[in-house]
Every structure is written in C-alpha cells, then in structure tokens.
Amino acid sequence: MLDDDLKIQLRAYLERVTQPFEMVASLDGGEKSRELLELLEQIAGMSDKITLRTDGADARKPSFTLNRVGGDMKLRFAAIPMGHEFTSLVLALLWTGGHPPKVEDDVLEQIKNLDVALDFTVYMSLSCHNCPDVVQALTLMAVFNSRVKVTIIDGGLYQKEIEEQQIMGVPTVFLNGEMFGTGRMNVEEIIAKVDTGAAQREAAKLNAKEPYDVLIVGGGPAGAAAAVYAARKGIRTGVVAERFGGQVLDTLAIENYPGVPETDGPKYAAALEQHVRAYDVEILNLQRVEQLVPAGRPGGLIEVRLANGATLKSRAVILTTGARWRNVNVPGEQEYRTKGVAYCPHCDGPLFKGKDVAVIGGGNSGVEAAIDLAGVVKHVTVLEFLPELKADAVLVKKLRSLPNVTVHTNAMTTEITGAAGKVNGLAYQDRGNGDTHTVPLEGVFVQIGLIPNTDWLKGSVQLSQFGEIEVDARGATNAPGVFAAGDCTTVPYKQIVIAAGEGSKAALAAFDYLIRTSATVEEVQSEAAVA
C-alpha cells in the first residue's frame, strides 16, 4: 500500500508517538477493505504503541476509528486516506499518539472548552486540495475534545451515500444531521461558528488595539508582500483578512512564479503566511471588513470597520482584497450550487465519475478544467461565449484530441435546469443563428474568470466601471493614505507575481506617505483618543 519512501517518512513521524492508541477497523470481504487492512497493518507495524483490531462493527465498511487507550475519542475515517488526505492521516496518528499540534494555544484552549455535543460528518474526495484543511480541523477537535464526534467519508468510496445525500461538492460538512458548510474552512472558522460568544469577545479585543501605521486589508500574495515590505521598515503593521491566502488557496498548480518551478496554491499560501509571521506583523484572520472610512486629512487616522462590530484604525491602509469566481448569472445557478453547479473541477470532479458534465468558459482555466474532467467523467461539453476558444494553443490542441469532449463556441448559456433538487441539464443559445439547444447532464463547472472583491468600498474610494480600485503608478487611490494592490485594482494582468510586486510597491508608497505627512505620533494618539 505504501511505497518505500512513504514507509521511511511515516516510520520517522511515528517515532514521535508517546501515548498508546488503537485502530479499530470495520471490514468486509471487498477489495477496498483488503487495501485498508494492508495500510493499517503497515502503520501498526511501525510503532509498538499502536494496536490494530479488526472487530469493528460500523455499518460503513471499510472504515476505522482511532482512540487512545482508556480514552473516549470519536474519530472515524470511512476512507482509505491517501492522496491529498495522507497528511491528514499522519496528523491524526500523531495527535492521537500525544504529539502536540502546531496551533495557537488559545485555539487549542477554545477547542477543549467547547461544552456542547457536536457530531460532524464531512464528505471529501482524495483529489480535493481544499478538503485537507477541513478534515484536519475537525480531526483536531475530535482528538482534543471528547464531546466532538467526527466521521470523515470519502465520496468516491461511498458513491451511493453521496447520491442519496445529493452531495455534489466537497468538502461538505454536516453538524448534528444538518448542513453546516461547504468549501474550505480552517479550525478557527469552524470554532467561530459553533462557539456563539466568540465574535463578541473578539470584537472587544480588536476595539482595544492601538492604531497601526499600516493596516493591510486582505491576505493574498499582494497583502503578504505588502506586509513583509512594511514590517521591514520597522513600522507598526497589521493584516486583516477573511482568510489568509485568499484566492491562491483555490489554485491547484502554480508553475509560472519566477524561481519557483512548481508548487500548489495551499502550499504557496502557507509559505506566504510563514514569511509574514517571521516579521513583527499582527495577523487578524477570519475577519470580514465591511466599511472603509477615509481620514479627514493627510496623516489622519483611517477607520476599517469589521462585520463583528469592531473598528481598527491606521495612518495608512493598503487594500489587497483580491477577486472571486465570476458567476454566469443564469436561472438555476444559485439554486443548484453544490447540487451540480461547481467551481472547482479538482475538488468536485471525482463526484461526477461516469457522468456527463459541462464546462462554461473557454479560457485557460476552462480548457484545463475540461481536460482534467475528461479523465474522470463520461463526457464533457465545453461552452465558450466567443467565436473561438481563448485558451493557449497547446491546451486547445490537447482538448480537441480527447474523444469524450464536445466544444460549442459562440454559445451563450441561458439556463441551468434541474429536478429533485439537483442539476439535470443546461440550455444555451447559438449566437450565430439564434437557435436554442439543451444538453442533458448532471454537472456544470463555471470557469469564466474573476470579479474584484470591492463591493464594500463603494463611496469610499474611486472604482472603475468594472468595480476595480483605481490606482496610480504608486498604488495610491483617490483617498489620502489609502493604497491598493493586486487583482482588486485596475492594474492589468491578474497574476500572482504581478500582485506580489504591486503589494511591495504599495507598501513602499505607503511608507513614503507616512514620512511625508505632518501628523506626529502624539497627534495620532490624541485623534485616536477623541474617536
């Protein structure tokens, strides 16, 4: 099951296990049960503190539980956790065996203090790069609080259950039998949703913070670069972000960043955060910003108001809020979101194995999605609004060589249809002759680009007709002390390397602004006291 390299790595990790625990497998006579048994036997053979039992009686076979000897953990994997979830398995083994997790002390304390019974079920796929964050967060909660029960299910392994639950997007999480959330979530986000007093406590802490010299809104490549450059100037720097890493977290392969031949989005986002934390930067994660109040004069304090009611103040602000997936905005899209309408082919593609799907969009992302899906699904229909596909020639050539792909150009999607709560088809109009066509299918992947996350800035800074923040060559907006960088701005070519460069430039411009404005530290403190 494990190759020699993985065995060597896993054996080294398991040397860190200090507390005895057992794995209890529920198996039948099937091939997947034999695979799981082989994996668990290999793991048990690597540590004298791990015991394997095969007398489990869970209805889901194959599956297995982890529990410390004499403990009361409730953690079950209805999966053979390889692929993207192998790291989740390793962490589950280490944490169960007493190795401390790498999380903030206050987060771990908050987990331990949850005093309500929580029964989570998470559906994932082994090819999903968003799923490990959710799986690992819930695993952590189950290991460190006996009132938290977690069942992790591989949708590809339990296809019938996926269909019965009408799950068409992963990760999908249920809490106590009710829908809890879909998509990437980290442990802080999950705790915030189940700990009802957390938002109020957090708002009080944030309101008490002293004004920053530079406050960066957004934690993607532009925001991270701005934070590093600002902190290196020795000024008080903060980053407030809804999720550190931003859109990069949803990017699978990154192969065009100079000096980094190949990486993936989550790995790159983790590196960004590690780099920022190496400096004296305060990161305020999981905070949604709702309003920007510009200063009344150059050098004065700018206010950033958060959704939880808190207000942060700073002498300069750099906006790096990035962008999000663009919706096709046709009937049925929102109604069938996660019920056949998806935006991440790498995450959700395996759920459509053997089915007919469509990809809306003929740019690089759309064509790449279609190529990936063609290896999993029965048939892919690509619809492009323009007369020709916009993707690179090498991608188009590859796409057209695939036998289970049909391409329609000059095609305007008009409706996504469904029945019994899930997608059953798509309608489009031929823009050349006006004819309307329908395509029966079970999944629609929307890949038509991005829109800037700037709705909350209307009336605060100048926006273009496309909602982008208008900036000059230095990254300055029309509001004194407010700068912007990255995909949310009018700077062309939305690329990671460009966003990082623009973030660095904005930080240098903000520092230059600070040293040229007349406000002294005493004036800023006085203004903060009055406010």
Side-chain angles (χ1 to χ4, degrees):
M1 191 69 189
L2 298 174
D3 62 31
D4 291 340
D5 288 340
L6 283 179
K7 288 179 183 177
I8 293 171
Q9 293 175 32
L10 184 55
R11 190 182 300 276
Y13 284 128
L14 293 181
E15 290 177 357
R16 306 174 188 178
V17 170
T18 59
Q19 298 183 28
F21 68 90
E22 62 181 10
M23 305 180 295
V24 182
S26 298
L27 306 169
D28 58 19
E31 177 62 29
K32 292 300 181 181
S33 285
R34 288 192 289 272
E35 288 182 20
L36 178 60
L37 179 60
E38 180 184 353
L39 173 63
L40 298 181
E41 286 177 339
Q42 289 178 337
I43 293 171
M46 294 179 185
S47 173
D48 59 4
K49 290 185 170 59
I50 304 176
T51 304
L52 172 61
R53 288 170 38 201
T54 59
D55 58 348
D58 191 76
R60 294 188 184 93
K61 296 180 175 65
S63 66
F64 67 98
T65 61
L66 299 178
N67 192 25
R68 292 173 183 152
V69 174
D72 189 26
M73 279 174 48
K74 302 177 181 69
L75 175 62
R76 177 176 296 277
F77 285 85
I80 304 173
M82 299 299 289
H84 283 298
E85 293 301 341
F86 183 68
T87 300
S88 301
L89 172 62
V90 172
L91 291 174
L93 296 170
L94 290 176
W95 295 338
T96 304
H99 188 70
K102 292 182 179 180
V103 296
E104 298 294 331
D105 290 342
D106 58 344
V107 172
L108 196 57
E109 193 64 25
Q110 199 172 357
I111 291 173
K112 293 177 179 179
N113 290 335
L114 291 172
D115 60 356
V116 60
L118 303 170
D119 185 352
F120 289 100
T121 301
V122 54
Y123 292 90
M124 56 80 175
S125 73
L126 300 183
S127 62
C128 169
H129 61 282
N130 287 327
C131 293
D133 279 2
V134 178
V135 171
Q136 291 164 26
L138 293 175
T139 296
L140 185 70
M141 294 173 68
V143 171
F144 287 93
N145 189 322
S146 62
R147 303 198 66 174
V148 179
K149 177 182 178 181
V150 174
T151 303
I152 300 156
I153 301 172
D154 176 9
L157 189 58
Y158 288 91
Q159 192 76 32
K160 183 178 179 181
E161 187 170 340
I162 285 284
E163 292 174 355
E164 290 174 350
Q165 295 278 10
Q166 296 187 357
I167 294 170
M168 294 184 170
V170 289
T172 293
V173 182
F174 290 85
L175 173 58
N176 300 331
E178 301 292 331
M179 174 64 74
F180 179 78
T182 60
R184 181 189 294 272
M185 292 178 281
N186 60 28
V187 67
E188 291 91 345
E189 291 175 279
I190 295 172
I191 294 172
K193 291 182 71 172
V194 298
D195 185 353
T196 55
Q200 186 175 1
R201 295 195 301 272
E202 184 68 13
K205 288 167 54 179
L206 295 177
N207 275 328
K209 290 187 178 296
E210 293 294 321
Y212 296 91
D213 291 315
V214 171
L215 180 63
I216 298 148
V217 182
V228 168
Y229 268 74
R232 286 172 63 88
K233 295 297 184 181
I235 56 179
R236 177 167 160 73
T237 303
V239 177
V240 57
E242 194 161 354
R243 60 171 187 162
F244 199 96
Q247 187 74 15
V248 165
L249 290 167
D250 301 323
T251 302
L252 188 61
I254 300 173
E255 299 174 341
N256 58 356
Y257 197 94
V260 183
E262 184 178 354
T263 186
D264 61 51
K267 186 184 298 183
Y268 179 68
L272 288 177
E273 183 170 357
Q274 182 181 20
H275 195 175
V276 172
R277 290 189 183 278
Y279 293 93
D280 188 16
V281 176
E282 190 170 7
I283 297 179
L284 310 174
N285 202 14
L286 307 181
Q287 302 295 336
R288 183 162 59 88
V289 178
E290 288 195 335
Q291 187 180 6
L292 176 77
V293 182
R297 60 181 176 83
L301 287 175
I302 304 161
E303 291 187 359
V304 174
R305 297 176 181 174
L306 309 183
N308 63 10
T311 297
L312 302 172
K313 299 180 178 68
S314 183
R315 293 177 61 195
V317 167
I318 302 175
L319 304 170
T320 62
T321 51
R324 63 188 183 276
W325 290 113
R326 184 184 299 275
N327 293 324
V328 70
N329 291 322
V330 297
E333 180 180 20
Q334 295 304 317
E335 180 181 355
Y336 297 110
R337 194 181 182 106
T338 75
K339 298 298 182 182
V341 175
Y343 299 82
C344 180
H346 307 293
C347 302
D348 301 332
L351 303 181
F352 295 86
K353 183 178 181 180
K355 299 178 180 180
D356 294 333
V357 304
V359 173
I360 301 176
N364 281 349
S365 59
V367 171
E368 287 174 349
I371 292 171
D372 287 344
L373 290 167
V376 177
V377 305
K378 180 180 178 182
H379 188 271
V380 182
T381 300
V382 178
L383 296 103
E384 164 56 37
F385 184 82
L386 295 176
E388 299 291 338
L389 295 176
K390 306 187 297 294
D392 295 341
V394 64
L395 294 175
V396 173
K397 183 178 179 180
K398 173 64 176 177
L399 180 73
R400 294 194 181 278
S401 73
L402 300 174
N404 61 336
V405 174
T406 301
V407 177
H408 297 295
T409 57
N410 232 11
M412 180 175 67
T413 304
T414 56
E415 184 180 9
I416 298 171
T417 60
K422 58 183 180 180
V423 167
N424 69 0
L426 174 149
Y428 73 93
Q429 184 181 59
D430 186 319
R431 297 176 60 235
N433 57 29
D435 291 347
T436 299
H437 304 272
T438 58
V439 181
L441 42 75
E442 295 180 71
V444 177
F445 289 82
V446 180
Q447 299 281 290
I448 56 173
L450 304 169
I451 54 176
N453 296 318
T454 58
D455 296 343
W456 62 283
L457 287 167
K458 292 177 180 177
S460 298
V461 295
Q462 188 70 38
L463 303 178
S464 73
Q465 60 177 322
F466 303 109
E468 299 169 321
I469 303 169
E470 294 190 350
V471 293
D472 64 15
R474 298 163 60 85
T477 72
N478 67 314
V482 179
F483 301 81
D487 289 2
C488 63
T489 72
T490 50
V491 172
Y493 310 121
K494 314 304 184 185
Q495 298 290 307
I496 293 173
V497 66
I498 294 174
E502 291 295 310
S504 304
K505 182 172 67 176
L508 294 174
F511 179 71
D512 183 70
Y513 164 83
L514 290 176
I515 62 177
R516 293 174 185 276
T517 51
S518 59
T520 64
V521 173
E522 291 74 17
E523 287 175 326
V524 170
Q525 291 175 339
S526 175
E527 186 174 334
V530 172

